[in-house]
Structure formats: structure tokens, C-alpha cells
Amino acid sequence: MKILVTGKGGREHALITALSESPGKPQIFAYPGSDAIAELATRVEVPSLVALIEWMKQEGIDLCVAGEEALLVKDEGLANLCEQAGIPCWGPRRESAQLEASKAFAKAFLKKHRIPTADYTVCQTAEEARAALNRFPIVLKFDGLAAGKGVAVCPTRAEAESFITEVMEQRVFGPGNLVVESCLTGPELSVFASICDDQYHILMPARDYKRIRDRDEGPNTGGMGAVASREIVSPEVLARIEREIVIPTVQGLIQDGLRYRGFLYFGLMLTPDGPKVIEYNCRFGDPEAEAVMPLVRGDFVGYVAAAASGKLQPERIDFADGWSICVISASAGYPASSRSGDVISGLEQVEGARVYHCGTRKNPDNLFETNGGRVLAVVATAMTRVEAREKAYAESAKIHFDGLQRRTDIGQMHFD
Ligand code: AMP
Ligand code: GLY
């Protein structure tokens, strides 16, 4: 089987590793991939999405797996174009991927299908947004893709007003509306499901750590670490999430004619009033994929290929018991900026843990160096959380580069 995976980060490195370890030994290609991914997959160099589809047809690709979200909503959409070309695609059509690409679309979907979420108003102008600031803290969300920077949780009016000025007057993310919504409290949870038309399969839950510094201080990032385990959430709460959130979402997609085949990521807040949806993402999480993928057992390739062709077969895979903990090492300046070109040492000393490359490249001496904000994910699994945490940190500590930033409380905060 020939599989093409789109993306280039740690999530794709983890997905490609899991696919390559699956029985059947598929031949894997990555677009665009990375130097680290190139050790498992052949990188494809083409100038455009249309050229990629043409290349897939010529190469006889049997399955396309969408790692990142961007191509899902580019041009006519990755999945739509694959469908026209007769290539099964694991990742939703353009119109369904609006659940991630547009916050206003997602909120309208949630409201229409009575799925628990925060109250909200969609504002078209700065004045409307200012008028909607009725209590604090308050949450402001730019209605479009903004590389993880489009959401502000504002404790005060002054902070909210300055975000409104940047987004609605200075237009730092380009044109678009602003969603103003009430602030929810409680621990967050990432629930992943495979959706195949009217069928669904809930996968291993995870939790990510979005702030740059320990104790959830400092600005939001793409994620500084993640924990995956069945034990993160009780069977009762998971059953409630399935009943009140997952099932109505699947039914809503069908009712609205939004065909969906792919991973769907429910970003949830476990509030005192029950679980509520913060956001949908039309892909696996990053860094949650790095934590979850090492726990996958069984025929992962067969599972994804069958699901992309319309047959969801949960019995093909399983998830190991215990805990998986992922610790990210980020580069100097992240998240405001990032520094590339710092040489990484110690990679070859890591033992008994997995290393996924989020943002690295090989320099002319064939050594890996930093190439982005999040650089590496080190992931350890064990039967207990404490063991997994100790192992992940002991192995992460072997890795060095100038300016390295790493939280010390992944897998500890929100549990102790
Ligand atoms: P989003 O991109 O919508 O997931 O938002 C990014 C982060 O902002 C979330 O992971 C939460 O930490 C926070 N956030 C988003 N919406 C809310 C909300 N209504 N209440 C509190 N925090 C929120
Ligand atoms: N872990 C956050 C995300 O993937 O969007």
C-alpha cells in the first residue's frame, strides 16, 4: 500500500512512525515532510496542491492522510480533490473543515445542534465587539486561521480593548469577524474520534499544556507537552461526552450534509456544569498525537485505509494501558518568535523513549539543528503517570541546544 501524509511537524512524524510500524509495511510518502521524516518516508516536492493530486494519481497512491489542517481548506480542498481523483482521503472535505477554519461556523453548528458550548456573539466591527464586552474575564476569537494566535482570554477590559484594536482595526490577521464569548473554567480535555460518515470511534483522550511556562503561566503556544491515558477521564464523564457532544456532532454533520471522514478533535472544558466544547479541530492534535500514537496497537494502516473508504472498523486497533507523556523542547524566543540554526546534541543518547521532530533540519555537517518554535517531542510510556513522567524528563534532559525552553511540570500539573 502507498500512503501519502501531508504535514511536516511532530504530529506527522508520530503518525508516520505509527503507520510504518503497522503490519503490512506500507510505502510512505510525505508532503512536504522534514529531514527527520525522510528517514521513514519519501518526501514529495511539488509546487501546488493541484500538482500534488496529479502526482498522487501518477504514483498510484492508495490513501492520503491529512496531518495538518491547512490543505483541507486550501483551493478546492485536499479531500474534495482526492475524491475527484478517486483517492481515499482521511481528512474531511473543505466545507466540513470550516468547523476548524471558522470559529463563527463552529459556534453556529454547536448552537443549532444544541451541543454545550460557551455563549457568544459574532461581531463585524470594533464597535460591536466593544459593546459585547459585558463581563470579565472574556474570550475573544478571530474568525479565521491565525496560527494559534487568534484567541485571547482577557482578564480585563483594557486587554480586551487592545486585542479588538489589533484584530479589528489594525487587522493583524487580515479581514474577518470577531467572536466574543463567555469564559469557561475547569480542566481542559482533548477527545479524539475517528468519524466516518454516520459512524464514530472514540480514541484515547489526552490533555495538552498550552502555556509556555510552568504552572500555566505566560502566553499560549502550540502546546508544550501532552499526556495521554484512559485514566485522564472517568468512564462516566467520557460517556457523558459521547452522549452530549460526540453523538450530536456526528448527527449534526449528517443533518447539515457535511460529509466527514477523518480524525475529529473535540477541545473541551470540563466545567462545573458539565463538559462544553471550546473548539473543533479537523485533524489530530499536536502535541497530543505524539503522546497518543505510541499507545496504538494493531493494524493502524488497515484501520485508516478502511475508514477512509467508508468502513469504520474499531476492532482493528487498540490502545495500550498506562500513560504516555510528551515533553516539548522549544527554541529561543518561542512563542513570540523562534530561532533556527541552533545545533542539537544528545539525540543519539536517548533510550527507551521516542523522539519526534517538530521543527528541525539537517545542517551541512548532517547534524540536526533547530528550525521552528517547537523543536522536539520526547515521549515515554509506562504503567504509571509518575514513571512515564520521570522517564520522559530523564530522556529529554539528554538533549541540548542553545536557548532551549522546556516546561518542568508536564504530567504533574492538573494531576497532583
Ligand atoms: P481555541 O483556539 O478556541 O481552542 O482557544 C485556545 C485556548 O483558549 C483554549 O485551549 C483555552 O485554553 C482558551 N479558551 C478558548 N475558549 C475559551 C473559553 N470560552 N473559556 C475559557 N478559555 C477558553
Ligand atoms: N494541541 C492543540 C492543537 O493541536 O491545536
Coordinates of all heavy atoms in Angstrom, one line a residue, residues 33 37 40 50 88 98 111 132 149 151 154 196 210 260 270 288 308 326 335 359 415:
G33 N 6.9 17.0 4.5 CA 7.8 16.2 5.3 C 8.9 17.1 5.9 O 8.8 18.3 5.8
I37 N 11.6 13.1 9.1 CA 10.5 12.3 8.5 C 11.1 11.5 7.3 O 10.7 10.4 7.0 CB 9.3 13.2 8.1 CG1 8.5 13.6 9.4 CG2 8.4 12.4 7.1 CD1 7.4 14.5 9.1
L40 N 11.8 7.9 7.3 CA 10.7 6.9 7.3 C 9.9 7.0 6.0 O 9.1 6.0 5.6 CB 9.7 7.1 8.4 CG 10.3 6.9 9.8 CD1 9.3 7.5 10.9 CD2 10.6 5.5 10.1
V50 N -2.8 21.2 -6.5 CA -3.2 20.6 -7.7 C -2.1 19.6 -8.2 O -2.4 18.5 -8.7 CB -3.6 21.7 -8.8 CG1 -3.9 21.0 -10.1 CG2 -4.9 22.4 -8.3
P88 N -8.9 7.6 -1.8 CA -9.4 7.7 -0.4 C -8.6 8.7 0.4 O -7.4 8.6 0.4 CB -9.3 6.3 0.1 CG -9.2 5.4 -1.1 CD -8.5 6.2 -2.1
Q98 N -14.7 23.7 7.8 CA -15.0 25.0 8.3 C -15.2 24.9 9.8 O -15.1 26.0 10.5 CB -16.3 25.6 7.6 CG -16.1 25.9 6.2 CD -14.9 26.8 5.9 OE1 -14.7 27.8 6.5 NE2 -14.1 26.4 4.9
K111 N -24.6 25.6 18.3 CA -25.8 26.2 18.8 C -27.0 25.4 18.1 O -28.0 25.0 18.8 CB -25.9 27.7 18.5 CG -27.0 28.4 19.1 CD -26.9 29.9 18.9 CE -28.1 30.6 19.4 NZ -28.1 32.0 19.0
A132 N -20.0 44.4 23.1 CA -20.3 43.0 23.6 C -19.5 42.6 24.8 O -19.6 41.5 25.4 CB -20.0 42.0 22.5
K149 N -2.8 32.0 17.2 CA -2.7 33.3 17.9 C -4.0 34.1 17.9 O -4.0 35.2 18.4 CB -1.6 34.1 17.3 CG -0.2 33.5 17.5 CD 0.9 34.3 17.0 CE 2.2 33.6 17.2 NZ 3.3 34.1 16.3
V151 N -6.8 33.7 19.5 CA -7.7 33.6 20.7 C -7.0 34.4 21.8 O -5.9 34.2 22.1 CB -8.0 32.2 21.1 CG1 -8.8 32.1 22.4 CG2 -8.7 31.4 20.0
C154 N -9.2 37.4 28.0 CA -8.8 38.7 28.6 C -9.4 38.9 30.0 O -10.6 39.0 30.1 CB -9.4 39.8 27.6 SG -8.8 39.6 26.0
C196 N -16.5 8.5 10.4 CA -16.7 8.0 9.0 C -18.1 8.1 8.7 O -18.9 7.2 9.1 CB -16.1 6.6 9.0 SG -16.3 5.8 7.4
K210 N -0.8 24.3 27.1 CA -0.7 25.3 26.1 C 0.2 26.4 26.4 O 0.8 27.1 25.5 CB -2.0 25.8 25.7 CG -2.9 24.8 25.0 CD -4.0 25.5 24.2 CE -4.7 24.6 23.3 NZ -5.7 23.8 23.9
Y260 N -18.0 13.8 6.5 CA -16.7 13.9 7.3 C -16.1 12.5 7.4 O -16.7 11.5 7.9 CB -17.1 14.4 8.7 CG -15.9 14.9 9.4 CD1 -15.7 16.3 9.6 CD2 -14.8 14.1 9.9 CE1 -14.6 16.8 10.3 CE2 -13.7 14.6 10.5 CZ -13.6 16.0 10.7 OH -12.5 16.5 11.4
L270 N -14.0 20.9 31.0 CA -14.8 20.1 31.9 C -15.3 21.1 33.0 O -14.7 21.3 34.0 CB -14.0 19.0 32.5 CG -13.4 18.0 31.5 CD1 -12.7 16.9 32.2 CD2 -14.5 17.4 30.6
E288 N -0.7 16.3 21.1 CA -1.4 15.1 21.6 C -1.1 13.9 20.7 O -1.0 12.8 21.3 CB -2.9 15.3 21.5 CG -3.4 16.4 22.6 CD -3.6 17.7 22.0 OE1 -2.8 18.1 21.1 OE2 -4.6 18.4 22.4
A308 N -11.2 5.5 5.6 CA -11.2 6.5 4.5 C -12.0 6.0 3.4 O -12.5 6.8 2.6 CB -9.7 6.8 4.1
C326 N 4.5 13.4 26.9 CA 5.3 14.0 25.8 C 5.8 15.4 26.3 O 5.0 16.2 26.8 CB 4.4 14.2 24.6 SG 4.9 15.5 23.4
P335 N 6.9 31.7 22.3 CA 6.2 31.7 21.1 C 6.1 33.0 20.3 O 5.6 33.0 19.2 CB 4.8 31.3 21.6 CG 4.7 32.0 22.9 CD 6.1 31.9 23.5
G359 N 10.3 20.7 14.7 CA 10.9 21.7 13.9 C 12.4 21.6 13.9 O 13.1 22.3 14.7
F415 N -2.8 17.2 37.8 CA -3.0 15.8 38.4 C -2.7 15.7 39.9 O -3.3 15.1 40.6 CB -2.0 14.8 37.6 CG -2.5 14.6 36.2 CD1 -1.8 15.2 35.2 CD2 -3.6 13.8 35.9 CE1 -2.2 15.1 33.8 CE2 -4.0 13.7 34.6 CZ -3.3 14.3 33.6

